[in-house]
Amino acid sequence: MLKRQNPSTPEHSKDLAADGGALSMSHNDSRSFFNLSQLVLSAGQIKPSPALKHSKITYFEVEIVDMQSKKQICIVDKVPPASTLLDVKHKFHKACPQWYPSRVGLQLERNGPFLKDSVSIQSLAVSSIITLYFTDLGQQVGWTTFFLTEYTGPLLIYLLFYIRLSTIYDQVESRKNFRHPVVHLACFCHCLHYIRHLLETLFVHKFSEGHTPLKNMIKGCAFYWGFTSWIAYYINHPRYTPPSFGHKQVSYAALAFLMCEAGNHFINVALAHQTNSEGNRTCFPSPTYNPFTWLFLLVSCPNYTYEAGSWISFTVMTQTLPVGIFAFLMVIQMSLWAQKKHKLYLKRFYPEVRRKAAMIPIIF
C-alpha cells in the first residue's frame, strides 16, 4: 500500500502540479465556486425592499394633521399593513363624524397631490408612524349621481315646454297656430340625446374612484337646465318659424344629428372596453370594423367630435339663436376638455396618438 502524503507540504503541491493532480484541485475549486455563487444568488438584493422592511411591523399609526394650521387632528392607530387609504378614512370618520370619507382629502406632503383611496398604507410608510395632511373637500356627490341629475333635468324641462303648459304659453294662441313637423322632430332628437346620455351613464361608462364637489353639480345643472329652458321656449313657441330652406334643411340636419348620436354611442362603448374597473384607460382604443370608430385614426377624442356635431346639426335643423349659442359654448368647452385629455394620452400612449389631433383634425 502506498503511504498517503501530507497535502500541506510544499513538495506535495509540486507533485500535484507535475503529475496532473491539478485536475482534482480544479474540480474542488469549481464545486466551491458553485456553492458560493448559489449562496450569493439566494441572498438577493443587498438592500432590503420596502415590503421586507415593514414585514415585522404588525400595525401602523397614522397621524392626521391639518394642512393649514399644521395641528394634529387625531391619530388612527392599529392600522394593518394591508389596509388602504379608504380604510383609514373610515376610521378617521369614526373619530371625527363631521367628516365623512368622500369629503376627506389626504396628502403625503403639503401642497402635494391628493392620494387615491386604493393606495395601500404599507406603500406610504417609512416607519411605523405615517403623517398625512388633511383637507376638507366640502360636500361631495358621486359621479353617477352628478351625471344623472345633470341629464335628467333637460329631458323633463324640454317636455314641459313641448306640451305647452298654460303657465308658459297662451292657450288660445297655442290652439290656433299649427305646429311645424320640425317641432316634433326637434323634441324627438333632444329627448334621444339625453336618454342616450342617461343610459350610457347607467350601463356603459366606468367612472373613476372618488367624488366631485356639490358646487360643481349645481353649476352644471344651472348651465344645462337654463339653456334647455331657453331653447325649448323658442322651439315650442306658437310663433316659431321653420328653417329658411324648408324640408331639405331639416332632413339633412336630422340625418347628420342621428349619425353623430350613433357615432358618439359607439365611441363610448369602445372607450368603456378599454377601461378597467377603476376608470383608468389600459390602452388607447383602435378602430374596428365599425365605421363610426374610424374617427380614431384622425383624433384622440372622437366622442367630443360627435358631440359637437350633434349640437351643430341640431342648430341647423331648428335654426334658432339659443341653440346656436349653446352649440358654440359646447364646442369651446369640449375643445378644452379634448386638449386636456390629448395631453394625458400623449404621456401614456405616445406612439398611438402622436400624429392625431385632439378633437377636430388640423384645427384642434
Side-chain angles (χ1 to χ4, degrees), residues 162 164 174 177-187 235-251 317-318:
Y162 176 74
R164 290 183 175 177
S174 299
N177 293 340
F178 171 75
R179 289 199 190 192
H180 193 275
V182 71
V183 176
H184 304 292
L185 183 60
C187 180
I235 295 177
N236 297 286
H237 199 280
R239 298 183 182 180
Y240 169 75
T241 55
S244 304
F245 296 96
H247 181 70
K248 281 188 176 182
Q249 179 177 342
V250 174
S251 300
M317 182 178 65
T318 58

Side-chain angles (χ1 to χ4, degrees), residues 34-339:
F34 176 78
N35 294 333
L36 179 62
S37 62
Q38 290 296 317
L39 180 63
V40 171
L41 290 175
S42 63
Q45 297 179 350
I46 297 176
K47 186 177 181 179
S49 61
L52 294 175
K53 182 178 180 181
H54 303 303
S55 61
K56 295 182 180 180
I57 298 178
T58 308
Y59 295 105
F60 290 101
E61 288 187 358
V62 180
E63 180 189 21
I64 309 295
V65 179
D66 185 81
M67 192 185 69
Q68 300 296 333
S69 62
K70 300 181 183 179
K71 294 181 179 179
Q72 183 189 96
I73 300 176
C74 72
I75 293 180
V76 180
D77 57 353
K78 293 186 178 180
V79 179
S83 300
T84 62
L85 199 68
L86 183 60
D87 299 327
V88 174
K89 288 183 178 181
H90 283 293
K91 291 188 175 183
F92 178 57
H93 174 57
K94 290 181 180 180
C96 304
Q98 68 271 28
W99 292 309
Y100 51 89
S102 62
R103 69 183 296 169
V104 174
L106 296 177
Q107 301 158 278
L108 192 60
E109 298 176 356
R110 293 191 68 199
N111 301 323
F114 290 108
L115 301 172
K116 293 184 177 181
D117 291 344
S118 58
V119 174
S120 65
I121 292 300
Q122 191 169 4
S123 65
L124 303 175
V126 178
S127 63
S128 60
I129 300 176
I130 306 171
T131 301
L132 297 177
Y133 294 94
F134 162 77
T135 301
D136 184 9
L137 300 177
Q139 194 169 359
Q140 305 285 303
V141 293
W143 284 111
T144 303
T145 304
F146 176 88
F147 288 113
L148 290 179
T149 306
E150 193 174 67
Y151 296 143
T152 303
L155 179 64
L156 299 178
I157 290 172
Y158 197 97
L159 291 175
L160 291 177
F161 283 91
Y162 176 74
I163 63 178
R164 290 183 175 177
L165 295 176
S166 58
T167 56
I168 302 176
Y169 302 112
D170 181 73
Q171 290 299 303
V172 176
E173 194 175 28
S174 299
R175 286 192 294 266
K176 187 186 301 183
N177 293 340
F178 171 75
R179 289 199 190 192
H180 193 275
V182 71
V183 176
H184 304 292
L185 183 60
C187 180
F188 170 77
C189 291
H190 191 275
C191 292
L192 176 67
H193 178 79
Y194 284 102
I195 288 174
R196 178 184 63 80
H197 272 304
L198 291 171
L199 293 177
E200 288 177 352
T201 300
L202 293 173
F203 304 110
V204 176
H205 294 302
K206 297 177 182 178
F207 300 107
S208 58
E209 64 177 22
H211 300 73
T212 185
L214 179 62
K215 62 181 180 180
N216 288 348
M217 189 179 76
I218 295 175
K219 289 190 294 185
C221 289
F223 177 78
Y224 280 98
W225 295 16
F227 262 103
T228 300
S229 301
W230 192 23
I231 290 169
Y233 177 79
Y234 274 85
I235 295 177
N236 297 286
H237 199 280
R239 298 183 182 180
Y240 169 75
T241 55
S244 304
F245 296 96
H247 181 70
K248 281 188 176 182
Q249 179 177 342
V250 174
S251 300
Y252 290 140
L255 181 62
F257 177 87
L258 294 176
M259 291 181 63
C260 289
E261 287 295 302
N264 204 338
H265 171 70
F266 288 120
I267 291 296
N268 288 332
V269 171
L271 292 173
H273 288 165
Q274 303 296 329
T275 307
N276 56 23
S277 59
E278 297 180 354
N280 297 321
R281 194 86 63 237
T282 56
C283 61
F284 189 79
S286 57
T288 63
Y289 62 89
N290 189 337
F292 289 103
T293 63
W294 295 350
L295 201 56
F296 275 121
L297 296 172
L298 301 176
V299 297
S300 59
C301 303
N303 52 328
Y304 294 139
T305 307
Y306 282 122
E307 185 79 8
S310 294
W311 286 112
I312 293 173
S313 303
F314 194 76
T315 303
V316 176
M317 182 178 65
T318 58
Q319 195 174 311
T320 54
L321 180 63
V323 182
I325 296 175
F326 180 74
F328 176 73
L329 295 177
M330 288 294 289
V331 170
I332 293 177
Q333 181 61 72
M334 285 183 290
S335 66
L336 296 176
W337 288 339
Q339 290 280 4

